[in-house]
Amino acid sequence: MEELRSTDVLDREILADAKKKAEKILSRADDVCSELLGGVGARLDEAKKKAKSESDSALDLFTKNISASLPLERERYLVSYIHGSVVDAINSYFENAGEERQLQVIEGLLKRSADALGSEPLEVSAVGIDKSTAASILSRTVANTVESIVVSDEVVLSDEAVDGFKFRKGLVVSTVDGKVTCRLTLDQKVREILDSHSYELASSLFAGRIPE
């Protein structure tokens, strides 16, 4: 396996991949936003019909409330849409990168956590990785004795799953005394990228034109 590349290299690769999809996704975003705005008038008309039997003051209040809620609804939609588009680009990156690159990312996370694990014997749950591959990663990265490796179901990673991210894969490594647990998963890596580079990724994905 090639030498592990840095987090910065991984981030740059994802940015480059995102830029290739910018125009297509931006066009789709514009279409969906237009549909959303186009429905405003229809919703107000429907609200007026339902409230026709009410007094004029009640109708005015109802209309004002509906109008006030639409910008917030649209804002929530845009935030959700941009997040989903960024995660789609990350999905595309990991899919195109393939199994070996995915395992490199997990190995890099383990290498970074080696000091926290100390020299204590380890118990390992592997998700989306077979025992022999997990053992190989551990042997290259940490000097600890590995007491056990158990292949676990994806549900083990459900609490940390990134909404929309497709690849449930990684290692949950614990010291046998239970004092330290490191969750070394692709979901955790994606969370790091989103926390550190969310705006940069979105800006690149939409060619600097975040929908407004």
Side-chain angles (χ1 to χ4, degrees), residues 26-127:
L26 180 59
S27 175
R28 189 173 66 190
D30 288 342
D31 290 343
V32 176
C33 288
S34 295
E35 291 175 4
L36 181 66
L37 291 175
V40 171
R43 290 184 61 186
L44 287 175
D45 288 342
E46 182 181 353
K48 289 178 180 178
K49 288 177 182 178
K50 289 181 179 180
K52 195 171 184 180
S53 61
E54 302 286 339
S55 65
D56 290 341
S57 59
L59 176 59
D60 288 342
L61 179 60
F62 189 78
T63 303
K64 287 178 182 178
N65 288 338
I66 289 291
S67 297
S69 70
L70 287 171
L72 295 176
E73 181 177 335
R74 183 171 181 270
E75 184 67 22
R76 284 193 295 269
Y77 167 79
L78 287 175
V79 169
S80 176
Y81 186 85
I82 291 169
H83 170 82
S85 298
V86 170
V87 172
D88 282 347
I90 294 174
N91 278 329
S92 179
Y93 168 81
F94 277 109
E95 183 175 1
N96 293 332
E99 177 81 7
E100 184 175 357
R101 182 62 181 134
Q102 294 170 21
L103 293 175
Q104 285 180 338
V105 171
I106 293 166
E107 187 169 338
L109 293 172
L110 177 59
K111 184 176 182 180
R112 194 175 65 188
S113 301
D115 288 344
L117 294 169
S119 58
E120 291 291 320
L122 304 176
E123 296 176 336
V124 180
S125 291
V127 177

Side-chain angles (χ1 to χ4, degrees), residues 137-175:
I137 291 173
L138 288 157
S139 66
R140 287 195 302 268
T141 311
V142 296
N144 309 59
T145 300
V146 179
E147 295 285 339
S148 65
I149 299 175
V150 177
V151 175
S152 300
D153 190 82
E154 291 183 4
V155 70
V156 172
L157 308 183
S158 60
D159 288 344
E160 67 201 69
V162 175
D163 187 29
F165 184 58
K166 297 178 180 179
F167 299 91
R168 299 282 95 77
K169 182 178 294 186
L171 302 173
V172 180
V173 181
S174 302
T175 56

